[in-house]
Amino acid sequence: MALNIPAEVGMPLAEVDTPCLLVDLDAIEHNIERMARVAAEHGVRLRAHAKSHKSPDIAARQIAAGAVGVCCQKVSEAETMVRGGVRDVLISNEVVNPRMLARLAALAATARVIVCVDDADNIAALEAAAAHCGTTVEVLVEIDVGAGRCGVAPGAPACALARAIAAAPHLRFSGLQAYHGPAQHVRAFGDREALIERAIAATRDTVAQLAAQGLDCDIVGGAGSGTYRLEAASGVYNELQCGSYVFMDADYQRIVMADGRPTDDFRNSLFLYTTVMSKTKADKAICDAGLKSHSVDSGLPVVFGRDDIEYIGASDEHGELGDPHDRLVLGDRLMLIPGHCDPTVNLHDWLVGIRGDRVETLWPVAARGMSL
Amino acid sequence: MALNIPAEVGMPLAEVDTPCLLVDLDAIEHNIERMARVAAEHGVRLRAHAKSHKSPDIAARQIAAGAVGVCCQKVSEAETMVRGGVRDVLISNEVVNPRMLARLAALAATARVIVCVDDADNIAALEAAAAHCGTTVEVLVEIDVGAGRCGVAPGAPACALARAIAAAPHLRFSGLQAYHGPAQHVRAFGDREALIERAIAATRDTVAQLAAQGLDCDIVGGAGSGTYRLEAASGVYNELQCGSYVFMDADYQRIVMADGRPTDDFRNSLFLYTTVMSKTKADKAICDAGLKSHSVDSGLPVVFGRDDIEYIGASDEHGELGDPHDRLVLGDRLMLIPGHCDPTVNLHDWLVGIRGDRVETLWPVAARGMSL
C-alpha cells in the first residue's frame, strides 16, 4: 500500500497525485453535524452506516457528534471498525458462511455486536457459533418492508423468528431491521414518501405484534440518506442508518426533497481528483480516472464547477471528457463528483482530506475490500 | 489484508469464504499456453497485459511460457511488477504527473522500462525526469488508429514526436503503440476485421514514414484478446498486448470469431464465488456478490453451469438471483462469470487458485488499486 499514497499532509492540492479521492473537510464536517442535529431534534439515535466510508477515522467523527455506533454490511468490515475503536456495531445484513459466523461470535467478546437474520436455520447456526465462543450476540429480525431483497414478511413470520431468537441462550432479541433500500434513490419526494409510509405501517404493526407477545424492540432500525426524515418522524423507528450523507454523490443529487430543493442541504464532500493526460483532439480530452477509480453503476460522474466540461465515457483507466470549447490542456486538474459514492470509495486505499487548497489529513480506507 | 483471506491452501472449495475470486488453474494454464503458441506460430512477441490480472504470479507464468514481459497502465502497477520479478515492462499509456514521471525514471534503473507519449511537452518532461535520475527511458509514440482516445494522428504528427524523442539524450525511440481498444469488444467478426484493417494500414504507413527518416521501430505494439490474430498476421505489428485472454469474461463471450465460434477457444478461468445468503421468496434468492465484488460496467455476470438461475440485479453487497423453479436454498454456492474481468479483479486482494474442487494456491492481487 505504501506505493499508492497520493499525497502528503501539508501539500498543496495542485501537487496531489491522481487519480485519488479528496474529502472536503469543511463539507464533511457540515454533513456530520447536520445529520446528528436532525436525529437529536427527532429524539432518535443515529447509527451511521460505515459501508459508505469504510473509515474508522470518519466513524470516530460521527460518534463524537452523537452517533451511537455504526452499521456495517460484512463481518470483516465490522472487525475493522472494532479494531479502529468503535464499540457498538450492527451488521445490518445476514451472515451465513460458517467461518464468518465464528468470527462474528468472537467479535462479540470485545464489542457490542448486533446482526440480522431472516431464516430459522440461520438462527440455529448463529446460536451454535455464539455458544462455541461463550459470547452473546444481539440479533435483529430483518423484515422486508418493500425492498424485495432480504428479510421475512412483516407480522407473524417476523414474530416467529423473534421467538426463536429469544429462546436461544447465547442470542438476545434486540428488535427489527426495516430498511427500504430502493426507496432512497427514488427521484420524486412524493414517490419516496409513499414507499416509506408503507414501510412505517408494516414496521409499526410488527412492533405491536411483538409487544403483544412480550418481545420489546430495543432497536427499530432503518432509513437512508434519501428518506431519513420520514423514518425519524415516524414515532416507530428509533435508529437511523444513513451512510451516504457524509459524502453525497451524483445520483443522490438527482433526488428532490419535499420543498423541491435537491439533496436536503448536504454538501458534496467526496471528489475524484483527476488529471488531463491526453489532449490530441479539439473537442475532447482524456483524463486518468476510469473504471478502476470510480463506479459507474449509477451513472457517470459530474464535473464539479465546470459547466463547460462533461464526463462522457469511462474505460478501465481513462475517462473521456467532452470539451466542446477546446479549453482543457495537458495536466489540467478536475474534481469529479462520483456517480455512486460507496463502491467508488471501495476502490481506494486513501481519502485525502483537504481544507481549501491544502492537504490537512490522510485517512486510510481501512475496510476497503472487506467483503467477507 | 490478513482478515480478508478467503481460503487456505488445501481447503475443499466448499469451505472457501465468499464472495471471492476463483481461478481455475487448468483453464488459465490452457489459455496461457494457447496464446503463447499463437504468437510463436506468427513469429511475433507476446507482451501480456498485466492490467487484467495485476498479479506477478500470473505474469511469471506468462513469461515462462514465452512472453517477453508485460504491459502495465500505471507507474505504480509497473513498480509492483518489477518488484515481483518482471524485468521488461511497457507502460502502454501516457504518464503526466511530475511525481509519477520521477518514479518512472527511477524504475528504469532496475528494469527495462518503456512508456508511451502523444505530446511534445510530455516528451520534454520525460527527458527532464530521466536526466535528473541519470537513466534512459524507452519511448513509444502512441498513434490513434481509430479508438479516438489517446494518441496522435498516424503519419507526420507521429514522426515529429519520434524525432523529438530520438533527439532527447535520456530517451530512446523504440517504436509505436497502435492499440485499438473499442475494436476488441465489437461482436461481429467482420466488423472487428474492418476496424483492424484500417489500424494496420495506418500503422504500416507510419512505420514506413519513420523508416524513411531513419527511425526504426523496435516495437510495433497493440492487439487485444478480441483481435490479436489479425495484428499477429499483419506483418507490421511485432508485439501483442493481450490481457483478458487469461481469464475471459461474460462480455468477451459475446464476441464471435471468424468461423462463428465464440471466444476463440479460450476458457473461462475466472469466477466470482458466491453464497446464497437470503431465500425468503419463492422465485428469487439473494447472494453475497454485489457491486463491491464485481464490476457491472459491461453487463451483469452469468451464472456458470446453471441455465435455471439468472443474476438479475446488483446492489452494493447483494446480488439478486432469478430462481423461477425455487431450487436454491440458503448456503448454496454459485460460480459467476464476471461481466468484465479487469475492474472485477481490481476489487479483490486475492485470487484463489483451484484444481478441481480443491484450493491449490493463493495469489495476491499485488497491483490491486495501483492507479497512480
Side-chain angles (χ1 to χ4, degrees):
Chain A
M1 207 152 87
L3 282 173
N4 217 22
I5 304 179
E8 292 167 18
V9 171
M11 182 181 267
L13 178 57
E15 291 180 15
V16 169
D17 284 313
T18 64
C20 77
L21 282 182
L22 305 177
V23 174
D24 180 321
L25 296 171
D26 290 334
I28 198 172
E29 288 165 4
H30 166 90
N31 295 345
I32 289 172
E33 188 278 330
R34 182 177 173 82
M35 183 63 86
R37 186 150 42 87
V38 172
E41 285 168 1
H42 286 87
V44 297
R45 298 186 293 267
L46 172 64
R47 180 181 292 280
H49 216 307
K51 80 185 180 76
S52 300
H53 54 66
K54 290 178 169 278
S55 156
D57 294 281
I58 294 178
R61 282 157 178 79
Q62 292 171 313
I63 291 167
V68 295
V70 300
C71 297
C72 292
Q73 289 293 83
K74 299 291 183 147
V75 173
S76 56
E77 207 175 35
E79 290 169 332
T80 306
M81 289 295 144
V82 170
R83 212 171 338 120
V86 180
R87 310 314 320 156
D88 189 340
V89 179
L90 162 61
I91 298 176
S92 53
N93 203 7
E94 285 70 27
V95 175
V96 169
N97 284 333
R99 297 209 305 173
M100 291 304 128
L101 286 169
R103 279 164 54 168
L104 172 73
L107 190 65
T110 58
R112 182 187 185 196
V113 173
I114 318 160
V115 69
C116 298
V117 302
D118 67 4
D119 181 274
D121 288 345
N122 189 223
I123 293 171
L126 196 53
E127 163 62 20
H132 186 77
C133 266
T135 55
T136 298
V137 174
E138 295 190 40
V139 185
L140 305 183
V141 173
E142 180 164 8
I143 56 175
D144 182 354
V145 292
R149 198 169 65 184
C150 302
V152 289
C159 294
L161 292 185
R163 289 193 301 273
I165 296 163
H170 297 85
L171 306 181
R172 176 173 180 265
F173 173 69
S174 293
L176 294 177
Q177 171 72 7
Y179 175 61
H180 196 313
Q184 306 307 316
H185 301 273
V186 171
R187 303 280 158 91
F189 177 77
D191 295 340
R192 285 205 306 290
E193 190 178 36
L195 292 172
I196 297 301
E197 279 178 359
R198 287 200 289 277
I200 291 170
T203 304
R204 178 177 286 123
D205 177 63
T206 306
V207 169
Q209 289 191 35
L210 288 164
Q213 300 178 36
L215 291 163
D216 290 330
C217 292
D218 179 22
I219 295 172
V220 180
S225 299
T227 68
Y228 68 98
R229 285 179 176 273
L230 301 167
E231 286 94 339
S234 68
V236 178
Y237 285 82
N238 60 22
E239 282 197 4
L240 307 181
Q241 302 177 344
C242 313
S244 301
Y245 76 96
V246 288
F247 293 142
M248 303 307 287
D249 57 32
D251 195 59
Y252 263 116
Q253 279 193 312
R254 295 181 193 110
I255 74 169
V256 176
M257 304 312 291
D259 60 2
R261 281 179 302 118
T263 70
D264 199 23
D265 207 29
F266 292 114
R267 297 182 190 160
N268 285 111
S269 71
L270 184 77
F271 301 95
L272 183 59
Y273 199 40
T274 185
T275 301
V276 173
M277 53 167 286
S278 179
K279 176 65 182 168
T280 61
K281 282 91 179 165
D283 62 344
K284 67 178 175 179
I286 306 299
C287 72
D288 60 7
L291 298 171
K292 291 182 183 169
S293 301
H294 59 101
S295 185
V296 302
D297 63 88
S298 300
L300 295 175
V302 170
V303 183
F304 179 69
R306 290 289 297 256
D307 289 342
D308 56 334
I309 307 294
E310 188 181 3
Y311 191 103
I312 55 178
S315 48
D316 282 6
E317 282 97 353
H318 299 100
E320 195 174 327
L321 300 167
D323 180 18
H325 308 293
D326 198 11
R327 291 195 177 127
L328 293 173
V329 298
L330 201 72
D332 275 355
R333 298 297 185 84
L334 296 169
M335 289 165 69
L336 307 178
I337 300 170
H340 188 180
C341 56
D342 296 27
T344 295
V345 170
N346 191 47
L347 291 163
H348 292 263
D349 290 317
W350 294 96
L351 297 169
V352 178
I354 58 167
R355 185 96 59 189
D357 61 358
R358 193 156 293 271
V359 176
E360 183 174 302
T361 189
L362 284 166
W363 291 330
V365 187
R368 201 266 335 138
M370 292 293 174
S371 57
L372 297 181
Chain B
M1 206 151 89
L3 283 171
N4 217 23
I5 305 178
E8 292 167 20
V9 170
M11 183 182 266
L13 178 57
E15 292 180 15
V16 169
D17 284 313
T18 63
C20 78
L21 283 182
L22 305 177
V23 175
D24 179 321
L25 295 171
D26 289 334
I28 198 171
E29 288 165 4
H30 166 90
N31 294 345
I32 289 171
E33 187 279 329
R34 183 178 173 81
M35 183 62 85
R37 184 151 41 88
V38 172
E41 284 168 1
H42 287 86
V44 297
R45 298 186 293 268
L46 172 63
R47 181 181 290 280
H49 216 306
K51 80 183 180 78
S52 301
H53 55 65
K54 289 178 168 277
S55 157
D57 294 281
I58 294 178
R61 281 157 179 79
Q62 292 170 315
I63 291 167
V68 294
V70 300
C71 297
C72 292
Q73 290 292 83
K74 299 291 184 148
V75 174
S76 55
E77 207 174 37
E79 290 169 332
T80 307
M81 288 297 144
V82 170
R83 208 164 348 116
V86 181
R87 312 312 323 155
D88 189 340
V89 178
L90 163 62
I91 298 177
S92 53
N93 202 7
E94 286 71 25
V95 175
V96 169
N97 284 330
R99 298 208 304 174
M100 291 304 127
L101 286 168
R103 280 163 55 167
L104 172 72
L107 191 65
T110 56
R112 182 187 186 194
V113 174
I114 318 160
V115 69
C116 298
V117 302
D118 67 3
D119 181 275
D121 289 345
N122 189 224
I123 293 171
L126 196 53
E127 163 62 21
H132 185 77
C133 266
T135 55
T136 297
V137 174
E138 295 190 41
V139 185
L140 306 184
V141 173
E142 180 165 6
I143 56 175
D144 182 355
V145 292
R149 200 169 64 184
C150 302
V152 289
C159 293
L161 292 184
R163 288 194 301 273
I165 296 163
H170 297 85
L171 305 181
R172 176 172 181 266
F173 172 71
S174 294
L176 294 177
Q177 172 73 6
Y179 176 60
H180 196 314
Q184 305 308 315
H185 301 274
V186 171
R187 303 279 160 90
F189 177 77
D191 296 340
R192 284 205 306 288
E193 189 178 37
L195 292 171
I196 297 302
E197 278 177 0
R198 287 201 289 277
I200 290 169
T203 304
R204 178 177 286 120
D205 176 63
T206 306
V207 170
Q209 290 191 35
L210 287 165
Q213 301 178 36
L215 291 163
D216 290 331
C217 292
D218 178 23
I219 296 172
V220 180
S225 301
T227 68
Y228 68 99
R229 284 179 178 274
L230 301 167
E231 287 94 338
S234 68
V236 179
Y237 286 82
N238 60 22
E239 281 197 6
L240 308 180
Q241 302 177 345
C242 312
S244 302
Y245 76 96
V246 288
F247 293 140
M248 302 306 288
D249 56 33
D251 195 59
Y252 263 114
Q253 278 193 310
R254 296 182 192 108
I255 74 169
V256 176
M257 304 313 292
D259 59 2
R261 282 180 302 116
T263 70
D264 199 25
D265 207 29
F266 292 114
R267 297 181 190 162
N268 285 112
S269 71
L270 184 76
F271 301 95
L272 183 59
Y273 198 42
T274 186
T275 300
V276 173
M277 53 168 286
S278 178
K279 177 65 183 170
T280 62
K281 281 93 180 165
D283 62 344
K284 66 178 175 179
I286 306 299
C287 72
D288 61 6
L291 298 171
K292 291 183 184 170
S293 301
H294 60 101
S295 186
V296 301
D297 63 89
S298 299
L300 295 175
V302 170
V303 183
F304 179 70
R306 291 290 296 258
D307 289 342
D308 55 336
I309 307 294
E310 188 182 2
Y311 190 103
I312 55 177
S315 49
D316 283 5
E317 282 96 352
H318 300 99
E320 194 174 327
L321 300 167
D323 179 20
H325 309 294
D326 197 13
R327 290 194 179 129
L328 293 173
V329 299
L330 202 71
D332 274 355
R333 298 298 186 81
L334 296 168
M335 290 166 68
L336 307 177
I337 301 170
H340 188 180
C341 56
D342 296 26
T344 295
V345 170
N346 190 47
L347 291 164
H348 292 262
D349 291 316
W350 294 95
L351 298 169
V352 178
I354 58 167
R355 186 93 61 187
D357 61 358
R358 195 156 291 271
V359 176
E360 181 173 301
T361 188
L362 284 165
W363 291 330
V365 187
R368 201 267 333 140
M370 292 292 175
S371 57
L372 297 182

